[in-house]
Amino acid sequence: MTLHPNPLFSIQDLTLHFPLTRGLADLVLRQPAREVRALNGINLEISQGETLGIVGESGCGKSTLARCLVRLLDPTSGTIRFQDQNIANFKGTERQTYNRQVQMIFQDPYSSLNPRMTVGQILDEALRVHEMRPETERPARIAELLDLVRLPRNAAEKLPHEFSGGQRQRIGIARALAVEPICLVADELVSALDVSVQAQVVNLLLELQEELGLTVLFVAHDLRLVRHVSHQVAVIYLGSIVEIGPSETLFRAPTHPYSQALLSAAPSLNPEERHDKPAISGELPSPLNVPAGCPFHVRCPLATARCTSEKPLLKPLPGGGQAACHHAETSVGERKQ
Amino acid sequence: MTALTLSRLPAPVLQALARPAFLIGGGIILMSTLFALFPAAFAPYDPLAFNYAAIQQPPSLAHPFGTDNFGRDILSRVIWAYRIDMMIALFATIFALLIGVTAGSLVGYHGGWADTIFGRCVDAVITFPFLVLVIAVVAMLGPGLINMFVAITLVNWVYYARLMRAEVMTQTAHDYVSAGRVMGYSSGRIIFRHILPNAITPVLTFWMTDMALAILLGSSLGYLGLGAQPPLAEWGVLIAEGRNFIFTAWWMSLCPGIAIVLTGLGFSLLGDAVADMLRPKG
């Protein structure tokens, strides 16, 4: 199933279930242990220098996947291989080196910076702990990093509360870049920002990616943003990838019924693309109770008996992507009618 | 402090410094500290010298707080008692603070089974009324100042640890802690360099109030004969000495009582001001 010759990341069957604490009543009544099934068998490859967009509804496991990649969460089963090494085996300095190479930018710019450290201290600490620069060269490097994210140099002496949300997000980017990573995981990078500021931050990220040759995992729920940013896009539904493919192909001609519904739910500025048909019916099932078979069958207009029992696997599509649907061909056909 | 160093302080700290709570509280505590360090310079008489010519004299110019049943000058005894009572305020709380902050930070950050065991210990300690438990421990160890410090620390650290644990847990939910982990920082660095400065403020405020409580507790134990021992001048001991003469020589108990109230007020006001100063912005 290898699409790329030398993927930077290769994720196999990644599963993460959070067990719920069982109360005394559950134990007495012999209720089975319940768990939140956040990720249910993710298979994914990310190649060097590419931007992979991850989209899906709230609660589908996007952020959980991002946090697994930087080892903030440990998966229940499955492996993440980074440059052909299983990241779960990294300990001590190896783990530190891994985290130096794979950095994360957080969603909330107000809680992701220590309120009691100046921007200079935040950057200096990163440079010092990872011994990126000798002590005498650190102030120059801090100035360089601030230039890189377009912040004035006197920002180093200020505390985070003196900055706006967009500026704080750029400080977060500078902190991640301080350790010269090769991969950035951006979890909802701009969802907490004003639209006018979103573009600035996203374009900065794109420029930096090109300049530094970064691999970017862009987790977002804003579809237009993901289309603008990504080379590849993966659509996640209830902790499984339902469709993955080159960004343009996927957005122009989505194959999986869920991708179709998700994309048609996005508002469009083009009047000809407007429609009154409800994009999708029903509610997202609880991850406590993931349906058997295809996770989407409860809401899918094409569902048949087979969908309720057998979970579809990702299958290559003629357009270059992959989709996990028993009716992939039918669904494309119906779309063309 | 010179004008130069003052002007370097950030504006919110300067504002807090100019508040009446800080000026009054800080003034009282500064005065108390001076009394405690140099009692001989302030006390007009020897606190232990008997004077049978001046027994139970009411307040006068020669003896502003009057004298006790052995003719000892109450003002001098109250001033010398600052030394003991400020010591109680510090030593009955500082070890509880250090142990509580360390333990609370570690269990708050790591959670898991250590947190469960910690929780049960805390439950066991707070089941008992505070004073009853302290008296029980002192009774086991024997009366005296050092044993009283040990007893108070053994019981009191739990309150600091509980407060610290809750604060650390709140801070750990913030993304800057996750960012530290993703940066590959050690948990020691994350706990003590990142979380602690953000979590310590309520504990420091509590500490200030607790010093006032420790003085009250120390005086109570001194009154009960379990803390400082007579003829040592300690406010609780002084009040206990005056209790038989409360109708004939009311000044014997009242004057040390006022000293307790005043010092307690000083610590409380200072605690308020410190809380204002340390609160992060934004």
Side-chain angles (χ1 to χ4, degrees), chain A residues 99 111 114 116 125 130 175, chain B residues 176 183 189 194 197-198 278:
Chain A
N99 272 131
S111 90
N114 187 339
R116 287 191 192 274
E125 184 178 35
H130 288 280
R175 174 176 59 190
Chain B
Y176 74 83
M183 272 288 168
R189 171 177 287 274
H194 291 250
N198 288 296
L278 296 179

Side-chain angles (χ1 to χ4, degrees), chain A residues 70-335:
Chain A
V70 293
R71 290 206 59 182
L72 277 176
L73 293 170
D74 286 322
T76 313
S77 66
T79 53
I80 302 177
R81 299 181 79 80
F82 173 74
Q83 293 175 334
D84 247 4
Q85 283 176 296
N86 188 344
I87 68 165
N89 297 335
F90 291 150
K91 296 219 162 56
T93 44
E94 269 183 335
R95 178 165 179 175
Q96 215 177 20
T97 312
Y98 172 72
N99 272 131
R100 190 186 68 68
Q101 290 170 304
V102 182
Q103 271 298 311
M104 180 154 177
I105 309 165
F106 292 85
Q107 172 174 15
D108 180 2
Y110 293 92
S111 90
S112 64
L113 301 171
N114 187 339
R116 287 191 192 274
M117 288 171 86
T118 64
V119 174
Q121 286 171 332
I122 290 173
L123 297 177
D124 186 67
E125 184 178 35
L127 295 172
R128 187 155 31 91
V129 171
H130 288 280
E131 292 166 5
M132 301 304 297
R133 292 284 186 285
E135 194 173 348
T136 47
E137 292 173 29
R138 273 189 235 135
R141 176 62 179 160
I142 290 171
E144 206 175 286
L145 285 165
L146 291 173
D147 286 348
L148 206 58
V149 296
R150 318 263 193 292
L151 283 171
R153 290 198 174 178
N154 65 4
E157 283 100 59
K158 293 185 182 168
L159 287 166
H161 72 85
E162 297 175 62
F163 295 95
S164 70
Q167 287 173 319
R168 281 165 169 239
Q169 217 48 332
R170 284 186 273 157
I171 297 167
I173 296 177
R175 174 176 59 190
L177 292 179
V179 295
E180 293 165 33
I182 53 179
C183 177
L184 275 184
V185 177
D187 183 10
E188 298 277 11
L189 179 67
V190 294
S191 67
L193 305 179
D194 287 344
V195 178
S196 55
V197 185
Q198 286 186 356
Q200 280 177 22
V201 175
V202 167
N203 288 333
L204 173 69
L205 185 73
L206 287 180
E207 282 171 41
L208 291 174
Q209 182 195 18
E210 215 150 284
E211 214 169 297
L212 307 171
L214 297 168
T215 307
V216 177
L217 191 80
F218 194 85
V219 178
H221 62 258
D222 185 329
L223 297 166
R224 284 168 302 172
L225 205 60
V226 171
R227 183 177 194 168
H228 173 59
V229 169
S230 314
H231 303 124
Q232 295 271 327
V233 173
V235 182
I236 297 197
Y237 184 78
L238 277 180
S240 305
I241 293 182
V242 294
E243 184 166 359
I244 180 167
S247 176
E248 270 318 300
T249 323
L250 197 145
F251 276 94
R252 208 168 355 93
T255 305
H256 195 282
Y258 178 67
S259 318
Q260 291 171 1
L262 193 68
L263 297 191
S264 65
S268 171
L269 287 177
N270 183 352
E272 283 171 23
E273 285 178 20
R274 288 184 191 159
H275 45 73
D276 303 326
K277 204 176 80 180
I280 194 166
S281 63
E283 290 283 324
L284 183 71
S286 160
L288 272 171
N289 191 10
V290 176
C294 174
F296 189 56
H297 81 254
V298 231
R299 299 162 86 184
C300 182
L302 305 176
T304 55
R306 188 181 172 204
C307 301
T308 60
S309 55
E310 189 188 332
K311 184 172 176 175
L313 300 172
L314 282 171
K315 280 176 298 217
L317 296 168
Q322 301 174 61
C325 179
H326 294 308
H327 307 286
E329 287 81 20
T330 338
S331 119
V332 173
E334 191 178 344
R335 209 188 149 273

